[in-house]
Amino acid sequence: MDQSEFSHTISKYSKHLYDHALKFTNDEDDAKDLVQETLIKGMRFCNNFDRGTNLRGWLYVIMKNTFINEFRKAAKTKKLITTDDEISDANLTKSAATNTANSTFAMEDINRAMASIKPEYSIPFQLYFEGYKYEEIAEQLDIPLGTVKTHIHQARQGLQKYLALYRR
């Protein structure tokens, strides 16, 4: 069966597909879009259809899968989109106050942890944490590269000890 013959054959099923799509979508325009998408996919993948099998059932499977995929995509998109209720003044104020309070406590904890290690370890560690490379830190502090790596390692160990004590 060539593409034009296949196109003519599947167009016979458009009314049945529309009735089925209406059950999925409960909206006439969405049902028409779903039927159109189904027929396009049917044409695109006509070489995958096994002649002599149930063409109508094959098209229904395409429609069902298309609907499910579109539904999932819409659900993901809906999660990403913020509604007006979520960005009201009251919610923004509440969110900003919560974030400030939480970050203040977190910064106090971080500062206490950093104060628990020696300055010769904490300064290279802070620079490394800020994104500087070992070579840049060595040049800036005028110390050998190996010493920078050792000091950062010592800072990590000191912070791990502080964290272990803090958890108790």
Side-chain angles (χ1 to χ4, degrees):
M1 184 180 318
D2 67 352
Q3 188 130 10
S4 64
E5 186 181 350
F6 190 81
S7 173
H8 180 70
T9 305
I10 65 172
S11 66
K12 294 178 188 176
Y13 296 114
S14 62
K15 172 67 176 130
H16 298 288
L17 291 172
Y18 175 77
D19 293 339
H20 198 65
L22 202 52
K23 292 176 185 175
F24 278 133
T25 63
N26 294 324
D27 182 75
E28 291 179 6
D29 291 332
D30 289 341
K32 289 176 185 175
D33 291 342
L34 183 58
V35 169
Q36 183 178 9
E37 187 68 27
T38 301
L39 293 175
I40 290 170
K41 286 182 179 179
M43 287 297 299
R44 186 180 315 146
F45 301 110
C46 68
N47 58 339
N48 294 345
F49 176 71
D50 294 328
R51 188 173 235 189
T53 60
N54 184 358
L55 178 61
R56 188 172 168 182
W58 185 71
L59 291 170
Y60 283 145
V61 170
I62 292 174
M63 177 184 288
K64 181 185 78 162
N65 290 339
T66 301
F67 176 76
I68 290 170
N69 291 337
E70 290 299 318
F71 181 80
R72 287 179 180 160
K73 188 186 333 179
K76 283 182 182 178
T77 304
K78 190 174 181 179
K79 281 184 182 178
L80 296 176
I81 297 174
T82 306
T83 62
D84 291 340
D85 294 340
E86 293 172 346
I87 58 172
S88 67
D89 289 340
N91 288 338
L92 288 176
T93 303
K94 177 183 168 188
S95 173
T98 303
N99 289 342
T100 302
N102 289 341
S103 60
T104 300
F105 286 123
M107 284 308 297
E108 288 174 4
D109 289 341
I110 291 169
N111 289 333
R112 276 195 296 271
M114 290 301 291
S116 74
I117 57 177
K118 296 178 182 178
E120 60 263 19
Y121 300 153
S122 67
I123 293 170
F125 179 78
Q126 283 179 311
L127 291 171
Y128 179 75
F129 185 75
E130 290 172 3
Y132 289 96
K133 296 179 179 155
Y134 290 129
E135 295 82 10
E136 296 171 330
I137 298 168
E139 186 179 311
Q140 186 175 348
L141 298 178
D142 196 30
I143 56 176
L145 181 63
T147 305
V148 169
K149 292 178 180 180
T150 301
H151 286 185
I152 292 172
H153 177 72
Q154 294 294 331
R156 286 183 180 146
Q157 285 184 333
L159 291 173
Q160 286 175 344
K161 287 177 186 173
Y162 179 83
L163 183 61
L165 291 172
Y166 183 75
R167 287 184 178 164
R168 290 182 192 166

